[in-house]
Amino acid sequence: MENCLGWAARDPSGVLSPYSFNRRVVGSDDVSLKITHCGICYADIIHTRNKFGNSKYPVVPGHEIVGIVKEVGSNVGVFKVGDSVGVGTYVNSCRECENCEEGLEIHCSKGPVFTFGGVDVDGTITKGGYSSFIVVHQRYCYRIADGYPLGLAAPLLCAGITVYSPMIRHKMNQPGKSLGVIGLGGLGHMAVKFGKAFRLNVTVFSTSMSKKEEALTLLGADKFVLSSDEQDMKAMAKSLDFIINTASGDHPFDPYMSLLKTAGILVLVGFPSPEIKLSTISLLTGMRTVCGSITGGTKDTQEMLDFCAANKIYPEVEMVAIQNVNEALERVIKRDVKYRFVIEIEKSLK
């Protein structure tokens, strides 16, 4: 066993503080990586504050992990010491079911083992990337291309793949098609970047006019619409091939469904209220589809990382020290971040 330093929440207050624990030994198929950076995701808040009622304390959050390989098991042939690698939202699955065989491990029929709060192969509770190193089966590690900044790669392991995977699955990568992006946070800004890389005509929908300049100038969206402006919304009727909804909280769906063309598709990747309000007419007229998606499988994740490297797609991030993580989490709740916090683990975790 090896001593690992991390930051953990001990109770539903969600307050994080230094915590030492043991990682399992490196098995024959395992990769041990020194963590250099870890992105902050809203899921970290959900589980440190026991929002789902199933948190197992102490909780070491973090599932947007990047770092450098420091040890590999005897059966590992893909990675070597010194490689740049990433770890995402899950670290194991059954590897036998149909979904696992197709590279959709996140939909494993027996359930994936999540990067933190799950049950590891040694029976311990998994602990995430707010820590100095992690040991993961090689199947759930991903190559980070040479030259791609590790601090910028971290958000790709959740925010990036969460929007990329359904966009590819539903063919939202056809040049010349039109895409609407609801919400301009960590997920939304990546959807805009992917949309432009796919050469789509991208419209951003937001409740805040303050996002307009960023959407158009910084991210390169083609159009910005204030979702509360009924006139502008009506002007967009039946104009979009696709919509990707990254917004959380309770909001109506019918106004957006009316913006879809015939056979248009709306993909939900955010977490709104447990029940969504949708008129059947919105589905029946125009052959429209509503579907959902969470993160992605190993195949899509590696493909997405390679795509970002090849096309120079970089998340917009704000770097923070681990000592400021509680403040950063509060700012995430207040939506005071553009657009993803990344913890400089190697630099600040001592």
Side-chain angles (χ1 to χ4, degrees):
M1 303 296 286
E2 197 170 348
N3 196 353
C4 184
L5 177 61
W7 276 53
R10 272 67 166 200
D11 56 54
S13 70
V15 176
L16 299 171
S17 58
Y19 170 67
S20 293
F21 61 99
N22 290 320
R23 293 286 191 191
R24 73 168 189 264
V25 296
V26 177
S28 58
D29 292 304
D30 287 337
V31 173
S32 176
L33 61 137
K34 176 181 67 176
I35 298 173
T36 61
H37 300 82
C38 184
I40 294 179
C41 176
Y42 196 79
D44 301 342
I45 295 168
I46 290 174
H47 292 284
T48 54
R49 303 192 180 197
N50 201 26
K51 299 293 186 181
F52 289 164
N54 60 357
S55 297
K56 303 175 183 67
Y57 294 100
V59 176
V60 179
H63 60 201
E64 295 182 338
I65 302 167
V66 293
I68 305 297
V69 176
K70 65 175 188 173
E71 185 179 354
V72 296
S74 58
N75 291 340
V76 176
V78 178
F79 304 102
K80 65 182 185 302
V81 173
D83 284 349
S84 298
V85 296
V87 176
T89 59
Y90 53 95
V91 292
N92 216 331
S93 62
C94 79
R95 299 176 227 153
E96 297 174 349
C97 69
E98 181 179 359
N99 285 336
C100 283
E101 288 183 350
E102 293 181 0
L104 295 171
E105 294 88 348
I106 185 62
H107 301 292
C108 173
S109 62
K110 296 182 180 179
V113 176
F114 292 109
T115 304
F116 64 91
V119 179
D120 211 344
V121 293
D122 61 354
T124 61
I125 302 302
T126 56
K127 295 175 175 62
Y130 292 20
S131 58
S132 55
F133 77 98
I134 192 169
V135 178
V136 181
H137 188 284
Q138 62 177 326
R139 177 168 178 157
Y140 311 94
C141 294
Y142 308 98
R143 297 183 309 277
I144 306 295
D146 292 341
Y148 197 101
L150 292 184
L152 301 185
L156 300 179
L157 276 303
C158 179
I161 187 58
T162 295
V163 293
Y164 179 89
S165 182
M167 291 178 78
I168 295 298
R169 186 183 316 124
H170 297 287
K171 297 181 173 56
M172 296 185 186
N173 58 345
Q174 304 173 61
K177 295 283 188 175
S178 53
L179 169 71
V181 178
I182 303 174
L184 200 59
L187 275 65
H189 94 286
M190 288 306 304
V192 175
K193 286 177 177 281
F194 285 134
K196 294 308 299 178
F198 294 144
R199 292 182 288 158
L200 304 180
N201 189 297
V202 180
T203 300
V204 170
F205 297 89
S206 176
T207 58
S208 175
M209 184 58 76
S210 65
K211 298 289 183 73
K212 181 176 182 178
E213 184 176 352
E214 297 167 11
L216 300 177
T217 305
L218 176 64
L219 303 176
D222 300 283
K223 187 179 295 186
F224 177 91
V225 175
L226 190 66
S227 55
S228 59
D229 190 319
E230 294 184 9
Q231 185 173 350
D232 283 353
M233 289 289 282
K234 287 181 179 178
M236 294 289 295
K238 300 180 180 179
S239 65
L240 301 174
D241 296 289
F242 313 108
I243 295 176
I244 186 159
N245 185 354
T246 72
S248 58
D250 188 17
H251 63 277
F253 275 59
D254 287 322
Y256 295 106
M257 296 298 291
S258 68
L259 308 184
L260 288 171
K261 296 178 181 180
T262 300
I265 298 171
L266 184 150
V267 176
L268 177 64
V269 296
F271 276 88
S273 54
E275 295 183 358
I276 63 174
K277 300 175 182 178
L278 180 66
S279 167
T280 54
I281 297 298
S282 295
L283 290 175
L284 297 175
T285 58
M287 300 189 299
R288 300 180 180 109
T289 299
V290 176
C291 53
S293 183
I294 56 169
T295 65
T298 54
K299 178 178 177 294
D300 283 349
T301 301
Q302 187 63 63
E303 178 185 290
M304 178 270 308
L305 290 168
D306 294 341
F307 182 82
C308 287
N311 291 276
K312 295 180 171 57
I313 299 172
Y314 305 110
E316 304 295 326
V317 308
E318 180 177 341
M319 298 291 180
V320 296
I322 189 69
Q323 292 79 12
N324 299 323
V325 69
N326 288 306
E327 176 187 351
L329 290 167
E330 289 295 332
R331 285 180 58 190
V332 170
I333 294 172
K334 297 174 183 176
R335 301 180 182 179
D336 179 24
V337 54
K338 297 176 182 177
Y339 287 89
R340 205 70 161 179
F341 282 121
V342 173
I343 306 169
E344 296 179 294
I345 297 291
E346 183 181 27
K347 183 178 179 180
S348 63
L349 182 60
K350 307 296 183 181

